[in-house]
Amino acid sequence: MKKVICILVTAALCFSMFLSGCGQASPFSAESMQASSENKLEGELKINVAQGSYAKNMWQQLANAFVKENPGVKVTVTVDPEIETLTDQMKQAGDCPDLMFVPLGRTQGMTETELENNGMLDLSDVLGEVIPGEEKTVKDKMLPGVNNGAFSKNGKQLLLPEFFSPAGLVYDQHLFQENGWQVPKTWDEMWTLADQAKAKGISLFAYSKPEDLETFFYGMLENTDPTLLSNVCSYQEGVWSSDQGKKVLDTFAKLASYTDGTVPANANDENYLKNEQLLLEDKVLFMPGENGILDQTAQETKAEGFEWGFAPVPSFESGKNQTLYTITSECWIPTAAENQELGKKFLVWSYSDEAAAICAQFGETTVVPKSETQLDQAHQAFYSQYGDQLTNRLITDEFLPVGASDMKDFRSSLFGTFGALVSGEVTPESWSQGVITATDTLRAKRNAST
């Protein structure tokens, strides 16, 4: 996924590296290092990483740690925000990467395309591997619920989740304290607060780009009914004609009327920072967000006293426990990769406590227990909202992938047209019908492909 907002990639690289800029490939050789393992790994590994909010220095630290234990390994790592284009160029030159840290949900749709074309290696055996220096297998080490159905096809585990982050609503705690406002727990409370804020010239809602609405939408579904999210993500027939389904579509459409009117024009790659600035300058109350926004906006101008707040999406029932949706970032191995086994060894190591500790230094959390406790206080504040979800089950359901172009059209029907709802170019009724039609189309295509 990433899915968003950021969308993200994963941890731990089996190599040593010196990243020097976007699109720069970094070769590493550890021939001079002393082996720390009886089972020495040897060979060359090419890893491609979709650059998101992750610090490049993190990859170097992970590389150094892995290569120290595996001095016979040489790795070339390519990190770039346009990694899909670079990967295509490599393939055309007969130089297929061995390991891809490119999650579902990115605009280019590479991961969905490879899923559709059976271009991914089965990683089911990786789940049963014992992590080096530890006693648990990868499967047992993963947090409960983090490995969802979108990562498998025909019984094969084709993607593995690596990083995770809670997704909900971000806001300025100082603004709320100044006005004596409480964070809404229900949608009725949300509309009441919206009217109070409007009287002060503050809009209720903004979003960075349309894709950032996706995890917010998941949260809304989950906090409506426990089964609604999974039913929607599997395109179940009649899901939108149910009372709960209609309620979600109506509420999502109503939210458009409370969204700042300047948002749609800036909800693109060139101007999205203007939308984020609305929140940072206390011109709107809420935006969809996750842990990465702390680092993404660290250098941006903020209102005096601004203090990050984070909360789950409201529910429809008073007194009902709210749950957080979780964003994951996934990795996979191409079937055309030459060094598949070496790639698998790296993946097993990436779930180690050692790798988790390195990532935490850079504000990132791998999908293993207690990794969030190593974050700084600001980042931990987001994860503290989970409560017992971290030990019970994380909510990670997402749209089951079909074809890349089909997924793009589907997401456009839900989120790409939201700006037209805000501006009034599209009516709530026509928008809802578009969602229903798109869901029916994807269900038919998915059924035909299985």
Side-chain angles (χ1 to χ4, degrees):
M1 167 172 131
K2 102 231 163 206
K3 310 246 241 40
V4 151
I5 88 193
C6 345
I7 272 89
L8 301 176
V9 288
T10 143
L13 306 172
C14 47
F15 43 85
S16 72
M17 60 193 238
F18 300 93
L19 295 175
S20 59
C22 289
Q24 298 297 312
S26 304
F28 301 92
S29 178
E31 296 175 355
S32 62
M33 294 183 178
Q34 182 177 2
S36 61
S37 171
E38 293 183 2
N39 298 319
K40 296 180 181 179
L41 299 179
E42 295 182 348
E44 183 175 359
L45 191 67
K46 297 181 288 290
I47 300 177
N48 281 13
V49 180
Q51 182 183 4
S53 62
Y54 304 104
K56 289 185 178 181
N57 287 340
M58 181 182 78
W59 303 110
Q60 180 174 343
Q61 294 296 324
L62 289 165
N64 293 342
F66 188 84
V67 172
K68 185 176 182 180
E69 300 176 13
N70 303 282
V73 174
K74 179 181 179 180
V75 179
T76 299
V77 181
T78 303
V79 182
D80 196 277
E82 299 296 329
I83 197 64
E84 291 87 351
T85 299
L86 294 178
T87 299
D88 287 340
Q89 294 171 354
M90 291 176 65
K91 288 183 175 181
Q92 291 171 8
D95 189 27
C96 179
D98 301 303
L99 191 55
M100 300 291 296
F101 290 90
V102 182
L104 291 165
R106 284 174 60 84
T107 303
Q108 298 87 338
M110 169 180 280
T111 302
E112 286 83 353
T113 298
E114 293 304 305
L115 265 174
E116 182 182 20
N117 296 336
N118 299 315
M120 295 180 176
L121 188 69
D122 184 3
L123 301 178
S124 301
D125 56 338
V126 173
L127 293 173
E129 289 288 325
V130 177
I131 298 166
E134 301 183 17
E135 297 180 353
K136 290 187 175 181
T137 64
V138 171
K139 181 180 179 180
D140 292 337
K141 190 73 177 290
M142 285 184 182
L143 291 165
V146 77
N147 190 14
N148 71 51
F151 307 152
S152 299
K153 183 179 179 181
N154 298 328
K156 297 179 180 180
Q157 181 84 39
L158 300 178
L159 299 105
L160 288 175
E162 283 276 355
F163 287 135
F164 81 103
S165 175
L169 291 170
V170 292
Y171 63 98
D172 177 10
Q173 290 191 66
H174 179 71
L175 177 64
F176 275 65
Q177 292 166 358
E178 269 193 329
N179 289 278
W181 292 332
Q182 298 295 317
V183 177
K185 294 184 178 181
T186 68
W187 282 105
D188 285 340
E189 292 174 0
M190 182 70 95
W191 307 137
T192 298
L193 176 61
D195 293 334
Q196 294 173 350
K198 184 176 181 181
K200 293 179 174 289
I202 303 173
S203 299
L204 175 68
F205 190 73
Y207 56 94
S208 180
K209 292 187 282 187
E211 50 262 41
D212 295 330
L213 293 167
E214 185 165 337
T215 54
F216 171 79
F217 193 65
Y218 292 148
M220 181 186 291
L221 292 165
E222 172 63 26
N223 282 325
T224 303
D225 182 89
T227 61
L228 188 59
L229 175 60
S230 60
N231 289 342
V232 168
C233 288
S234 58
Y235 319 111
Q236 185 178 97
E237 187 171 2
V239 65
W240 294 124
S241 60
S242 68
D243 290 342
Q244 299 286 33
K246 290 178 180 178
K247 186 182 294 184
V248 167
L249 292 182
D250 290 345
T251 302
F252 202 64
K254 183 175 181 178
L255 184 63
S257 66
Y258 285 97
T259 299
D260 191 283
T262 65
V263 168
N266 295 317
N268 51 60
D269 291 339
E270 291 74 32
N271 299 314
Y272 71 93
L273 290 176
K274 294 180 180 180
N275 288 340
E276 294 182 353
Q277 207 61 42
L278 293 174
L279 180 80
L280 301 178
E281 296 177 3
D282 289 344
K283 295 179 181 178
V284 300
L285 294 185
F286 293 108
M287 283 185 65
E290 45 85 31
N291 183 49
I293 200 167
L294 295 178
D295 303 308
Q296 294 165 15
T297 62
Q299 305 304 317
E300 302 298 327
T301 302
K302 299 178 180 66
E304 184 177 354
F306 187 96
E307 182 181 358
W308 283 109
F310 180 71
V313 175
S315 64
F316 286 95
E317 299 177 24
S318 179
K320 179 181 178 181
N321 289 334
Q322 296 164 268
T323 56
L324 281 171
Y325 180 76
T326 295
I327 299 172
T328 60
S329 298
E330 303 85 42
C331 60
W332 45 281
I333 295 177
T335 53
E338 294 184 6
N339 294 293
Q340 298 173 354
E341 291 306 312
L342 190 55
K344 288 182 178 181
K345 293 296 183 184
F346 158 70
L347 289 179
V348 174
W349 178 83
S350 73
Y351 295 96
S352 67
D353 290 340
E354 181 182 14
I358 293 171
C359 293
Q361 297 174 21
F362 298 90
E364 306 300 344
T365 47
T366 58
V367 295
V368 302
K370 305 298 182 181
S371 60
E372 78 285 350
T373 63
Q374 303 177 70
L375 299 171
D376 61 33
Q377 186 175 359
H379 289 81
Q380 278 196 42
F382 279 58
Y383 289 82
S384 66
Q385 292 292 318
Y386 270 125
D388 60 5
Q389 270 185 262
L390 279 172
T391 54
N392 287 347
R393 183 182 181 274
L394 295 178
I395 309 300
T396 63
D397 291 15
E398 57 189 290
F399 297 128
L400 295 180
V402 187
S405 60
D406 295 321
M407 295 302 298
K408 184 176 181 180
D409 291 344
F410 179 69
R411 286 185 164 99
S412 178
S413 296
L414 269 74
F415 314 118
T417 57
F418 188 77
L421 266 178
V422 175
S423 65
E425 297 173 49
V426 172
T427 66
E429 293 75 20
S430 62
W431 176 81
S432 295
Q433 186 55 53
V435 172
I436 294 170
T437 300
T439 300
D440 292 343
T441 298
L442 269 197
R443 180 175 59 258
K445 291 191 174 183
R446 184 170 175 83
N447 289 342
S449 65
T450 55

